[in-house]
């Protein structure tokens, strides 16, 4: 199947010789590859068909079932949240405030704060201002004016006494007794102990230590050379007997086998996808021609005419009759409401009395005519165009 993948050997001139020849896959690999891929295809094809069937089923279930179910649940949760949870939350919040917040706030504002302010804070302020402050000032004056000078004089006396009784004798003893004795002891130790020890260390111990160190260094170098040789030999044995065969098996056996299996799985998966798609299209064609087409023909040729006949013969007259009955019922209800309203108004007038009607010439009379109005009521005398004169002016004229 992949014979074209063999590499073409490079062309060399007459004076050039190939350093090494990189050949492609051999004929044995090409012969084994085809049965392997056929076997892998036979194994992968049912898995791919089951996978495609599951994918199609999941998509159809998601479109037909899960989307409407999700929308219905979202709508239901929205209604539940808006009309149940939110009012219940407001009620619980108000109840919690009424039970836990308002009593404690009232207790704090009207009980704790006044008690603390008038029972603790104000007495403490008064005590601090009228008792503790004068007492503190008095103690401070006593400390500064009496206690500090007395302590200072006492300290001076104790200092002089300690200097005379302790410090001066110790200084004299150190200067005239201990220092000369210490210098003599140091001279004796230097010339009797230190100088002989230094001579012994330089002339005897140092050459002896150098010799011992050189001997130990030679011994250690010999041991290191011995173990280094053993390590080199063991490493060579491990490389030759273990690493080289493992690397050869990995490069020459496992890597080609894994590559061929991976390539066979990829090709088989794609070929199985093509076959599964072809089978799916065939099943879809059969379903469309054996189920969908007869159903569509029956819907168009049988259900649609029957539905139109039922609609025109039964549903449309029933709808018109229902609409007419609704209009009649609404008109009857409107008339009944108007009748009830008039009866209530008449009963109220009978109980309380009608409002007083204004005279024809008064401003609130509906029969009067104003200068700005041009309307008149038939069979009623029109009002005057000008205001009448007062009574006193009429008598004088």
């Amino acid at each position: 199947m992949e014979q074209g993948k063999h590499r073409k050997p490079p062309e060399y001139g007459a004076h050039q010789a190939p350093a090494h020849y990189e050949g492609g896959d051999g004929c044995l690999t090409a012969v084994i590859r085809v049965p392997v891929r056929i076997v892998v295809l036979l194994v992968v094809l049912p898995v791919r068909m089951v996978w495609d069937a599951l994918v199609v089923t999941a998509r159809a279930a998601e479109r037909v079932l899960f989307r409407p179910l999700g929308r219905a649940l979202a709508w239901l949760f929205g209604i539940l949240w808006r009309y149940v949870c939110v009012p219940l939350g407001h009620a619980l919040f108000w109840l919690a405030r009424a039970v836990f917040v308002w009593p404690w706030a009232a207790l704090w504002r009207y009980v704790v704060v006044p008690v603390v302010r008038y029972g603790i804070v104000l007495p403490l302020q008064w005590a601090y201002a009228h008792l503790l402050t004068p007492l503190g000032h008095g103690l401070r004056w006593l400390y500064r004016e009496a206690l500090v000078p007395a302590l200072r004089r006492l300290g001076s006396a104790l200092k002089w006494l300690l200097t005379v009784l302790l410090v001066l004798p110790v200084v004299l003893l150190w200067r005239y007794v201990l220092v000369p004795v210490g210098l003599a002891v140091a001279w004796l130790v230097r010339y009797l102990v230190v100088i002989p020890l230094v001579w012994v260390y330089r002339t005897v111990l140092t050459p002896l230590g150098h010799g011992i160190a050189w001997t130990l260094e030679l011994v250690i170098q010999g041991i290191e050379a011995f173990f280094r040789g053993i390590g080199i030999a063991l490493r060579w044995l491990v490389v030759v007997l273990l690493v080289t065969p493992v690397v050869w098996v990995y490069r020459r056996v496992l890597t080609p086998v894994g590559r061929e299996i991976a390539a066979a799985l990829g090709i088989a998966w794609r070929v199985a996808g093509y076959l599964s798609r072809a089978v799916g299209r065939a099943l879809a064609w059969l379903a469309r021609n054996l189920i969908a087409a007869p159903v569509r023909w029956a819907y168009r040729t049988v259900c649609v005419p029957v539905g139109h006949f039922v609609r025109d013969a039964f549903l449309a007259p029933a709808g018109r009759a229902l609409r007419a009955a609704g209009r009649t019922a609404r008109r009857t209800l409107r008339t009944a409401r108007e009748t009830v309203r008039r009866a209530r108004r008449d009963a109220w007038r009978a109980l309380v009395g009608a409002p007083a009607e204004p005279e024809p010439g008064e401003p609130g009379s509906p029969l009067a005519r104003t200068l700005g109005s041009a309307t008149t009521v038939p069979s009623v005398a029109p009002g005057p165009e000008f205001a009448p004169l007062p009574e006193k002016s009429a008598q004088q004229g």
Side-chain angles (χ1 to χ4, degrees):
M1 295 176 66
E2 296 183 359
Q3 297 294 333
K5 288 187 177 181
H6 298 293
R7 298 179 181 178
K8 183 179 180 181
E11 298 179 358
Y12 301 96
H15 61 281
Q16 296 179 354
H20 63 279
Y21 180 77
E22 295 182 358
D25 298 333
C27 58
L28 182 61
T29 304
V31 169
I32 295 175
R33 182 182 298 163
V34 176
V36 168
R37 293 188 176 179
I38 292 174
V39 172
V40 171
L41 176 62
L42 295 177
V43 174
V44 171
L45 181 60
V47 178
R48 182 58 188 265
M49 295 185 69
V50 172
W51 174 261
D52 292 339
L54 291 176
V55 169
V56 173
T57 305
R59 289 178 180 175
E62 191 268 337
R63 291 180 181 178
V64 175
L65 179 61
F66 293 114
R67 283 186 185 178
L69 182 61
R71 292 173 182 173
L73 290 177
W75 177 81
L76 181 61
F77 284 137
I79 296 298
L80 183 64
W81 173 263
R82 180 177 298 177
Y83 297 104
V84 177
C85 295
V86 172
L88 183 60
H90 288 308
L92 291 178
F93 178 72
W94 183 86
L95 182 61
R97 288 182 62 184
V99 173
F100 296 104
V101 177
W102 293 342
W104 293 105
L107 181 64
W108 172 263
R109 182 176 298 175
Y110 299 108
V111 177
V112 176
V113 172
V115 169
V116 171
R117 182 177 181 182
Y118 295 103
I120 300 176
V121 176
L122 292 180
L124 289 178
Q125 289 180 354
W126 182 87
Y128 177 78
H130 295 85
L131 296 178
L132 297 180
T133 301
L135 181 61
H137 290 173
L139 292 176
R140 184 178 63 180
W141 179 86
L142 182 63
Y143 171 76
R144 288 182 179 180
E145 300 297 333
L147 187 60
V148 171
L151 291 176
R152 189 179 291 115
R153 292 186 182 90
L154 181 61
S156 300
L158 290 175
K159 179 180 178 182
W160 180 82
L161 184 61
L162 290 174
T163 302
V164 172
L165 296 178
L166 294 177
V167 177
L168 187 60
V170 171
V171 169
L172 293 176
L173 179 64
W174 172 263
R175 182 177 296 176
Y176 297 106
V177 177
L178 295 179
V179 171
V181 173
L183 292 176
V185 172
W187 184 86
L188 291 176
V189 170
R190 180 181 180 184
Y191 286 99
L192 296 180
V193 178
V194 176
I195 292 177
L197 290 178
V198 170
W199 181 83
V200 171
Y201 175 76
R202 289 182 180 177
T203 57
V204 177
L205 296 179
T206 300
L208 182 61
H210 289 174
I212 294 173
W214 180 74
T215 304
L216 291 176
E217 185 178 0
L218 291 179
V219 173
I220 291 172
Q221 288 179 357
I223 294 173
E224 287 181 354
F226 175 72
F227 282 106
R228 188 180 298 111
I230 293 176
I232 292 172
L234 291 176
R235 184 177 63 182
W236 181 81
L237 289 176
V238 169
V239 169
V240 171
L241 298 178
L242 183 62
V243 176
T244 302
V246 170
V247 171
W248 184 85
V249 170
Y250 176 76
R251 290 181 179 178
R252 302 298 179 181
V253 178
L254 297 179
T255 301
V257 169
R259 189 185 302 115
E260 292 299 329
I261 291 175
L265 285 175
I267 295 174
W269 185 261
R270 289 193 294 272
V271 173
Y274 296 147
L275 295 176
S276 176
R277 189 178 302 170
V279 171
R281 289 177 179 176
L283 292 177
W285 182 83
L286 290 175
R288 186 169 52 252
N289 291 317
L290 295 179
I291 299 175
V295 170
R296 188 185 303 112
W297 178 83
Y299 176 76
R300 290 181 178 178
T301 57
V302 178
C303 296
V304 172
V306 171
H308 290 175
F309 174 75
V310 171
R311 183 191 62 187
D312 297 336
F314 299 100
L315 297 181
R320 288 193 293 269
L322 290 176
R323 285 193 292 273
R327 285 194 295 270
T328 304
R330 286 194 296 272
R331 193 178 299 112
T332 304
L333 290 175
R334 193 181 301 114
T335 304
R337 283 197 298 270
E338 186 65 26
T339 304
V340 170
R341 191 180 295 113
R342 290 178 181 176
R344 188 176 63 249
R345 190 183 300 116
D346 294 339
W348 180 259
R349 288 179 180 177
L351 292 174
V352 180
E357 297 181 359
E359 297 297 331
E362 294 181 1
S365 176
L367 302 179
R369 179 183 175 190
T370 61
L371 294 177
S373 177
T375 59
T376 57
V377 180
S379 69
V380 177
E385 296 290 340
F386 55 91
L389 295 174
E391 296 179 0
K392 294 182 179 179
S393 300
Q395 292 176 2
Q396 292 177 0

